[in-house]
Amino acid sequence: MPRPLGELEDAVMTRVWRWNRPVTVREVLEDLRDDRSIAYTTVMTVMDNLHQKGWLSRRQEGRAYRYEPVSTRAAYSAALMNEAWASSDNAAAALVEFFGRMTPEQLDAVRDALRVVQLNDVHVDAPERAPRETH
């Protein structure tokens, strides 16, 4: 399970995911400097750490590395949601609470996702339960 990314890790990964191509530390640094003052070595360390954690792959190009994401932001988000849900002692209650906090736009996204899943022949219908015995 991925642990949530720290603020700077998320800022780096957001750029790498958005650009969707191999990137250098220098490119990420220059973009980050639009928002904050940050040192090259800080960005290099963060990207190296992300590589060590398995979030980025890299290949050497001259004296520098080019980094690419190992998975998508959607896969990262899904893994975080799945882990949070799996850690609940009452999964149904957690989902009810989760859905209850959603905006109308988020609920529309859930409906769209369920349609896509069903179009891919994955059924999300509740399994039929055997009737309970009464005494």
Side-chain angles (χ1 to χ4, degrees):
M1 154 51 197
R3 71 168 179 78
L5 295 171
E7 181 185 343
L8 187 52
E9 291 173 322
D10 185 66
V12 168
M13 288 303 299
T14 294
R15 283 152 177 84
V16 175
W17 279 320
R18 185 178 62 224
W19 294 334
N20 196 28
R21 61 173 173 75
V23 299
T24 63
V25 171
R26 175 86 41 214
E27 290 173 299
V28 174
L29 171 72
E30 289 171 6
D31 199 62
L32 284 170
R33 282 189 172 161
D34 289 344
D35 300 330
R36 64 182 90 191
S37 175
I38 192 165
Y40 178 91
T41 54
T42 301
V43 177
M44 181 179 65
T45 299
V46 168
M47 292 180 76
D48 183 62
N49 289 343
L50 288 165
H51 169 71
Q52 299 300 323
K53 292 176 183 179
W55 286 105
L56 294 173
S57 65
R58 70 182 179 195
R59 63 179 164 70
Q60 194 153 9
E61 189 174 282
R63 293 180 49 210
Y65 286 107
R66 286 216 172 256
Y67 293 85
E68 291 185 82
V70 171
S71 67
T72 64
R73 183 181 269 301
Y76 164 72
S77 297
L80 288 178
M81 289 187 289
N82 190 56
E83 179 64 23
W85 185 45
S87 69
S88 172
D89 61 351
N90 185 335
L95 281 176
V96 169
E97 184 69 27
F98 181 65
F99 292 141
R101 295 176 182 211
M102 287 183 161
T103 65
E105 294 80 15
Q106 290 170 322
L107 288 169
D108 286 342
V110 168
R111 287 184 196 98
D112 290 345
L114 287 171
R115 279 192 287 276
V116 168
V117 168
Q118 287 176 331
L119 286 173
N120 289 331
D121 206 27
V122 175
H123 298 284
V124 292
D125 299 328
E128 291 193 27
R129 297 178 187 228
R132 287 187 171 178
E133 291 183 26
T134 57
H135 296 281

